[in-house]
Amino acid sequence: MTGRKLGQPRRRRERGSLNPSDIIDGAFELAEQVSVEGLSMPLLGKHLDVGVTSIYWYFRKKDDLLNAMTDRALRQFIYAVPYPSVDAQDWRESLSRHARTMRRAFLSNPILCDLVLIRSALSQHAARLGAEQVERTVANLVQSGLSVDEAFTVYSAVNLHVQGSVVLQRLHDRNQELGSDATAYYDVIHVDAETTPLLAAAMAKGRRTGAPDDQNFEWGLACILDQAKRAIEGNNH
């Protein structure tokens, strides 16, 4: 979701030519420079070379604009290329693919992460589409042998695991972008081979405690799937 390159001048807009799509385009361009959190209507007006009242004509407040941005981001990055569906006959592998694809989608697009996960506010349209996706997934998990409660719990746990991993990584990246002195716990934990030999041995192999990296993500995902497998086996007896 890229627009003009940073510093590239925008052609002056003709009077009356502004429309909602142009405003959303400009909002994404500006968010890439200042982040979603730093986006403001006055800054956007300056970016688009229009008076801020021209923006308020279409979006009465910032939340209205962010909702429109979220809808577009979801359409382009989520709904346009849906996550792999969960197959009742191959539920473990298909749910794993689903989780990994969802995580990659958010990690590869910081603005999408900021709009959907950190801001945590969806329009009614986006929320309805999301609910329909969850409904399909839960139904397939029920077909695989889980009860409705178990299927809902499994998918909720997978979603929480994915979102937690992504948000922790995004917050770490944002601190780096802002030049913050704050350092993630997993980057500063002090390990001494004499006083904490077990930690030292693990971290010598590249392990990081609490880090939202691939290794920790895959371990957590496997634990959720193992629990689901045990539930299915128990239901079949």
Side-chain angles (χ1 to χ4, degrees):
M1 192 174 299
T2 58
R4 295 180 304 125
K5 294 181 179 179
L6 184 62
Q8 180 178 339
R10 174 185 288 276
R11 292 179 58 187
R12 187 170 184 83
R13 187 178 301 280
E14 295 181 8
R15 183 179 298 275
S17 66
L18 190 67
N19 60 61
S21 182
D22 289 337
I23 294 173
I24 297 171
D25 286 343
F28 274 110
E29 293 171 1
L30 184 57
E32 288 180 353
Q33 301 174 28
V34 302
S35 79
V36 170
E37 188 178 52
L39 181 67
S40 70
M41 298 304 213
L43 277 178
L44 181 56
K46 184 177 180 180
H47 178 74
L48 292 171
D49 196 21
V50 298
V52 71
T53 54
S54 298
I55 299 174
Y56 284 123
W57 179 263
Y58 296 102
F59 301 100
R60 297 182 62 184
K61 55 184 184 295
K62 181 179 175 180
D63 269 352
D64 293 339
L65 175 61
L66 294 179
N67 282 338
M69 293 173 67
T70 301
D71 279 356
R72 179 184 288 187
L74 288 171
R75 284 198 308 272
Q76 292 186 0
F77 289 90
I78 306 300
Y79 302 136
V81 185
Y83 296 141
S85 60
V86 176
D87 184 353
Q89 302 304 315
D90 187 23
W91 67 269
R92 184 173 185 125
E93 182 57 34
S94 60
L95 185 54
S96 296
R97 286 196 302 269
H98 179 92
R100 292 176 189 129
T101 302
M102 182 162 49
R103 179 170 175 257
R104 283 195 302 269
F106 283 110
L107 286 176
S108 66
N109 194 307
I111 295 179
L112 180 68
C113 177
D114 289 354
L115 287 171
V116 178
L117 300 185
I118 294 179
R119 178 171 171 259
S120 298
L122 301 179
S123 68
Q124 290 184 352
H125 173 68
R128 177 175 55 79
L129 291 177
E132 291 171 357
Q133 176 180 288
V134 173
E135 175 76 12
R136 289 191 297 271
T137 302
V138 168
N140 287 336
L141 289 173
V142 169
Q143 289 184 30
S144 73
L146 294 170
S147 69
V148 173
D149 285 347
E150 289 167 341
F152 185 84
T153 298
V154 167
Y155 191 62
S156 294
V158 169
N159 262 325
L160 179 63
H161 184 54
V162 170
Q163 293 175 17
S165 171
V166 171
V167 168
L168 281 176
Q169 185 61 55
R170 176 58 183 147
L171 293 176
H172 176 270
D173 292 343
R174 271 184 19 180
N175 282 334
Q176 298 299 308
E177 292 166 3
L178 296 173
S180 171
D181 292 333
T183 306
Y185 167 76
Y186 50 80
D187 284 335
V188 298
I189 183 172
H190 179 70
V191 175
D192 182 271
E194 292 187 3
T195 58
T196 53
L198 299 180
L199 289 180
M203 296 182 74
K205 298 177 181 179
R207 298 302 302 269
R208 296 188 299 165
T209 179
D213 56 21
D214 291 345
Q215 193 169 30
N216 285 334
F217 176 79
E218 290 295 334
W219 177 266
L221 180 60
C223 290
I224 296 171
L225 299 178
D226 286 345
Q227 180 66 24
K229 180 183 177 182
R230 287 191 289 271
I232 291 174
E233 291 173 344
N235 292 341
N236 289 334
H237 288 156

